[in-house]
Amino acid sequence: MSTGTDPLAPLAQLPGVPDAVAEVRKAVDRLYGHRVMRRRAAEVTSESALRGARASAALAGADWPLEEVRRRSDFGADPEARTVGAALRIAAEAGQLLSIWRHSPLQVLARLHLLAVGDGEPSAGRPRRAGEGVEELFPLGLKPVESVEVAQVDEPLPVLPPAPGAEEVAARLDQLSRLLVARAEGQGVGTPALVVASVVHGELLALRPFGAYNGVIARAAQRIVLLAEGLDPKSICPAEVGLAELGTDAYRRALAGYLAGTPEGMAAWIAHCGRALRLGVRESTAVCEAMQRGMV
């Protein structure tokens, strides 16, 4: 497809993006070639969903140990528990929504929000209206894990702009939906999956279309795109884990680049998403190695 018919195609040519795309493709292919994937792929998918949900909840303010998430069955007791429960419910159903996503992404986003807040919430499944508030995207500061090297930046953390108004949100969501449906119909198929997923992720964080759980929903939508685009067809690459391991400061700085809309900012955002995805691959590779040694 030419760049004239695919609005995302120029992003794939920004400096550093082709390398990020190639590195992600290589890492994902290596994981899919692991011996454990021949026999226990479904188990790897389930574990990836659990670990991704735990990480997404941590980014949303509920940083629970993995074993606590695995052990618990009651997620309605307090705000942190509800956040973990929301992330788990979304992770459990996201992969089943692929067929709907292809022709109605907005319907899937509404479903994800309903799963997060529960059908007893009056705002469940609908974008926020004029005058309604929106939760903070980064309520908890997560430090990078020791095994991940993150560039030190002397500049203060950027202050993210307020969420757009309801009318702008509706218009941009419609534009995003049209773009994704066109891709499902065969238009713009040349743009790499990493680029498409990064744009969907970034746009949903920028819009914050719902009153709550926008980060969890945006990260789930990225995972659905990676599934839909064929890069991660078994959904075994939990990019949420990588985003958490890189820390919220780096996440915020990268998002500020997306919001700025400059070539440098967009390239930095896509590269950040790519690195997070590779760290998710590392997580699932470790799961496969543990399964191969009989530890799982």
Side-chain angles (χ1 to χ4, degrees), residues 24 27 30 47 97-98 100 106 146 159 170-171 195 215 220 227 234:
V24 162
R30 187 183 302 117
E47 189 66 18
L97 299 172
L98 180 59
I100 303 173
L106 299 187
E146 292 183 359
V159 177
V195 174
L227 184 65
K234 296 186 184 297

Side-chain angles (χ1 to χ4, degrees), residues 12 23 29 45 57 70 91 117 150 176 179 183 187 214 240 258 267:
E23 289 168 359
D29 286 348
T45 296
R70 200 188 300 277
V117 302
V150 177
L176 181 64
L179 184 150
R183 289 188 62 79
Q187 302 175 38
N214 287 298
E240 305 94 329
Y258 177 88

Side-chain angles (χ1 to χ4, degrees), residues 90-107:
I90 285 176
E93 190 164 321
Q96 303 171 34
L97 299 172
L98 180 59
S99 61
I100 303 173
W101 177 267
R102 295 187 190 279
H103 65 81
S104 184
L106 299 187
Q107 185 178 343

Side-chain angles (χ1 to χ4, degrees), residues 53-242:
R54 190 222 72 83
S56 196
L59 290 163
D63 188 15
W64 287 15
L66 179 62
E67 291 311 313
E68 177 69 8
V69 176
R70 200 188 300 277
R71 181 187 67 82
R72 286 281 289 267
S73 58
D74 176 17
F75 297 100
D78 57 72
E80 283 197 7
R82 289 194 290 273
T83 296
V84 175
L88 287 169
R89 289 190 297 274
I90 285 176
E93 190 164 321
Q96 303 171 34
L97 299 172
L98 180 59
S99 61
I100 303 173
W101 177 267
R102 295 187 190 279
H103 65 81
S104 184
L106 299 187
Q107 185 178 343
V108 171
L109 294 177
R111 175 61 181 169
L112 295 178
H113 186 249
L114 175 63
L115 288 168
V117 302
D119 55 12
E121 171 63 41
S123 66
R126 66 159 176 81
R128 55 188 168 81
R129 295 169 180 161
E132 292 182 340
V134 60
E135 286 185 355
E136 167 65 41
L137 279 177
F138 302 108
L140 183 66
L142 297 181
K143 299 295 184 183
V145 299
E146 292 183 359
S147 61
V148 174
E149 184 177 344
V150 177
Q152 297 299 313
V153 180
D154 294 331
E155 299 175 0
L157 273 177
V159 177
L160 301 179
E167 289 188 7
E168 181 180 344
V169 168
R172 287 171 63 176
L173 281 177
D174 181 68
Q175 184 178 31
L176 181 64
S177 177
R178 290 175 183 272
L179 184 150
L180 293 169
V181 170
R183 289 188 62 79
E185 294 174 348
Q187 302 175 38
V189 294
T191 303
L194 173 64
V195 174
V196 182
S198 299
V199 168
V200 170
H201 181 186
E203 190 67 4
L204 291 175
L205 291 180
L207 296 180
R208 284 154 277 177
F210 303 103
Y213 300 112
N214 287 298
V216 176
I217 291 168
R219 291 182 286 272
Q222 175 180 258
R223 182 173 277 225
I224 294 173
V225 172
L226 295 172
L227 184 65
E229 296 284 327
L231 178 62
D232 184 17
K234 296 186 184 297
S235 198
I236 59 172
C237 306
E240 305 94 329
V241 171

